Amino acid sequence: MAASGAVHLVLFLCGVAVFRSAAVSSFAIDLDSSFKDSREDDIWLVDFYAPWCGHCKKLEPIWDEVAAEMFSSGSPIKVGKMDATVYAGIASEFGVRGYPTIKLLKGDLAYNYRGPRTKEDIIEFAGRVSGPLVRSLSTQQLFDHWQKRHPVFFVYVGGESPLKEKFFEVAAELIVYTYFFSASEDALPEDVSIQELPAILVVKDGTYYTYDEYEDGDLSSWVTKERFLGYVYIDGFTLYELADTGKLVVVAVIDSTNSSEEHISLKAMTQEVATGYREQFHRNFQFGHIDGADYINSVIMDEVIVPSIVVLNTSNQQYFIPETAIGSIEDLIKFITDILEGSAQAQGGDSFYYRVRRLLYDGKSTILSVFKTSPLLGCFLFGLPLGVISIMCYGIWTADGEYEPEEGELLQNEAIEQGDAEASDEEKEENHDKHHKADNEVKEDSKELKDEELEEKSMVEKKRD
């Protein structure tokens, strides 16, 4: 009986899981060519995918969860997905260039999602972009509420002005990254003090900072630089996004699983400099930490010691490493100051040498990655071409060593050899005649000499008589 009950329980749970999976996936609507003409009256969150794309397959269950969450919460946003390889023309009209591409479509506007591919981040993006560009903060309670929910947001304070118009323009451009609000001076917390109105504030790191047009320059650039916390956790995606700020990135490379004092103190020192010395460094530096050295090693194409400090220049791929270990806040401040003043030695860069080195490094990394994940596939991909090239080289080499003349060349060579042989026979005969003639001449000369000697001898004898 117990075994039978266990079997029924397992079957029931499997049935629930299958039902839940089918129910979740049913909320994401499969879109076809009719979507282009029927979407105008609704707000759509769409995943443009390719069936063969590995990243698309990884996103698929997350996308189903997003669709289910939006449906259950009563959101007016409809969630869909479109095979961009089947409906390539529509995908191209929406500016799809890679897979997967997530877009929120709102009337004539299309907003690209560029954040982490997690359910929470995608839903937060959809809620932010689907609402007003600039939300209103009418009371201090509402201000405090938003400050607890969002680590970074921007607030315009004041009446109508050219600065307000500019603020709305920047909000339309950068709403995909952060929140924008407008508030009266009465709605601000008591600890917020503004010297002059109108003003724009960024609220983050438990405090606020005021935009100064003369010191901070263009408003859009300032918002881009300030949309991150002073100290952040850094991964590959975050580092890519930080490149837009134009700042140098001070990275504490640590091992989060290592609880030794060395790792903990280095992270704490970096946080302290980021917050306590903001006015000195925030315009030029962004601070954070990364877990492990693998990603940093791939960026600088070298091995770094863990824990350590590395400063990255994402604009030209240069980096700075301290010559001595950072043991105190003073050491870290001096190192950053040296970089700021130009006395620290930069390494790396985007010169021709480093571009070639990067090409070779990436190629090597790709090959090792393929062999590590799938040795058989690696042998096939790289062994087969090498084998073909080897056979070709062997064929060329052996062809040079066993060359056989064609029939025409062979006849020509035989004629030449025969001519040479005939010429050599003629030369031998001619030489023989010459030698024979010379011998005859010598014999004749010797005969003449003998005749003369006999004649002289006979004359002498006659005289004696």
Side-chain angles (χ1 to χ4, degrees):
M1 292 293 292
S4 177
V7 170
H8 282 85
L9 178 61
V10 170
L11 292 174
F12 173 76
L13 292 175
C14 291
V16 170
V18 171
F19 174 78
R20 182 179 181 276
S21 176
V24 168
S25 62
S26 65
F27 292 113
I29 303 171
D30 286 309
L31 304 175
D32 55 25
S33 57
S34 63
F35 169 71
K36 179 182 175 182
D37 300 323
S38 62
R39 72 172 187 85
E40 294 293 338
D41 297 331
D42 298 301
I43 300 174
W44 282 89
L45 184 65
V46 182
D47 168 28
F48 294 91
Y49 69 95
W52 45 260
C53 171
H55 294 292
C56 300
K57 293 177 182 178
K58 187 176 181 181
L59 176 64
E60 186 175 357
I62 299 172
W63 196 251
D64 292 336
E65 293 178 4
V66 169
E69 180 75 18
M70 301 284 269
F71 180 83
S72 62
S73 65
S75 171
I77 303 172
K78 294 184 176 182
V79 180
K81 53 185 179 180
M82 175 177 284
D83 187 339
T85 62
V86 175
Y87 304 103
I90 297 176
S92 179
E93 289 184 24
F94 285 115
V96 176
R97 298 292 181 268
Y99 311 113
T101 294
I102 299 174
K103 287 180 176 285
L104 187 130
L105 307 176
K106 178 182 174 184
D108 295 332
L109 301 175
Y111 297 94
N112 286 338
Y113 176 68
R114 295 177 58 185
R117 292 176 185 142
T118 65
K119 182 187 76 172
E120 293 75 18
D121 288 307
I122 294 173
I123 291 175
E124 195 270 340
F125 160 80
R128 180 175 68 249
V129 177
S130 63
L133 289 177
V134 179
R135 292 169 165 83
S136 176
L137 296 177
S138 55
T139 64
Q140 291 187 17
Q141 290 78 10
L142 194 58
F143 190 103
D144 293 337
H145 168 76
W146 280 100
Q147 189 171 10
K148 290 176 182 178
R149 290 185 59 186
H150 300 289
V152 181
F153 62 88
F154 296 84
V155 184
Y156 173 83
V157 184
E160 298 296 327
S161 68
L163 185 61
K164 184 177 182 179
E165 295 178 2
K166 182 64 177 176
F167 185 75
F168 271 76
E169 291 176 6
V170 173
E173 175 190 356
L174 300 177
I175 188 66
V176 294
Y177 298 114
T178 188
Y179 282 94
F180 295 86
F181 296 92
S182 64
S184 64
E185 194 172 8
D186 297 336
L188 300 179
E190 295 179 357
D191 60 340
V192 176
S193 176
I194 299 177
Q195 302 296 327
E196 184 180 355
L197 294 179
I200 297 175
L201 311 176
V202 56
V203 181
K204 67 176 187 178
D205 297 326
T207 184
Y208 68 94
Y209 306 100
T210 305
Y211 167 66
D212 188 323
E213 183 177 2
Y214 298 101
E215 291 187 6
D216 298 317
D218 178 66
L219 179 59
S220 178
S221 299
W222 179 74
V223 171
T224 299
K225 290 180 179 181
E226 295 291 344
R227 66 185 179 90
F228 295 96
L229 291 170
Y231 184 91
V232 296
Y233 169 73
I234 296 174
D235 55 15
F237 175 79
T238 306
L239 188 61
Y240 173 80
E241 290 290 294
L242 288 173
D244 293 338
T245 66
K247 295 181 178 181
L248 301 177
V249 185
V250 182
V251 185
V253 185
I254 63 171
D255 182 359
S256 60
T257 62
N258 192 321
S259 59
S260 65
E261 178 65 23
E262 192 177 11
H263 290 256
I264 296 174
S265 63
L266 187 65
K267 179 181 177 181
M269 284 189 292
T270 309
Q271 287 178 308
E272 174 62 26
V273 173
T275 55
Y277 295 83
R278 171 186 161 83
E279 292 303 319
Q280 186 175 348
F281 297 126
H282 85 279
R283 284 187 173 85
N284 303 101
F285 295 92
Q286 172 67 47
F287 296 83
H289 75 274
I290 194 168
D291 187 13
D294 291 343
Y295 187 79
I296 290 295
N297 290 342
S298 68
V299 171
I300 67 175
M301 298 181 291
D302 203 350
E303 299 287 334
V304 299
I305 301 172
V306 181
S308 63
I309 292 290
V310 179
V311 179
L312 303 174
N313 186 338
T314 56
S315 63
N316 61 10
Q317 300 181 21
Q318 288 185 339
Y319 62 94
F320 302 84
I321 296 178
E323 296 180 356
T324 58
I326 302 295
S328 65
I329 290 180
E330 290 73 22
D331 293 339
L332 182 56
I333 292 174
K334 183 181 185 307
F335 176 53
I336 297 174
T337 303
D338 289 343
I339 296 174
L340 193 60
E341 294 176 351
S343 58
Q345 181 65 41
Q347 302 181 52
D350 55 1
S351 64
F352 177 77
Y353 167 77
Y354 281 101
R355 288 199 297 269
V356 173
R357 183 179 172 186
R358 168 62 62 186
L359 184 65
L360 296 175
Y361 182 89
D362 291 342
K364 175 184 174 183
S365 300
T366 301
I367 294 173
L368 292 177
S369 176
V370 171
F371 274 100
K372 184 177 180 180
T373 56
S374 180
L376 292 177
L377 179 62
C379 292
F380 177 77
L381 291 177
F382 300 103
L384 181 61
L386 290 175
V388 173
I389 294 173
S390 299
I391 293 173
M392 292 175 63
C393 293
Y394 177 77
I396 294 172
W397 180 77
T398 54
D400 289 339
E402 298 178 357
Y403 172 75
E404 294 184 0
E406 296 182 359
E407 184 178 356
E409 292 178 306
L410 185 60
L411 294 175
Q412 184 178 5
N413 291 340
E414 290 178 353
I416 292 172
E417 291 175 357
Q418 185 176 359
D420 290 342
E422 292 175 357
S424 62
D425 291 339
E426 291 177 359
E427 289 178 357
K428 289 179 180 179
E429 186 176 352
E430 184 178 355
N431 291 334
H432 177 73
D433 293 339
K434 288 181 179 179
H435 287 298
H436 182 69
K437 185 177 181 181
D439 291 338
N440 292 335
E441 291 177 353
V442 170
K443 288 179 179 179
E444 291 177 357
D445 291 340
S446 60
K447 185 178 180 181
E448 291 177 356
L449 288 173
K450 288 180 178 180
D451 293 338
E452 289 178 357
E453 289 177 355
L454 292 173
E455 184 177 356
E456 288 179 357
K457 185 177 180 180
S458 61
M459 288 179 68
V460 170
E461 289 178 353
K462 285 179 179 180
K463 288 180 179 181
R464 284 178 181 177
D465 294 338

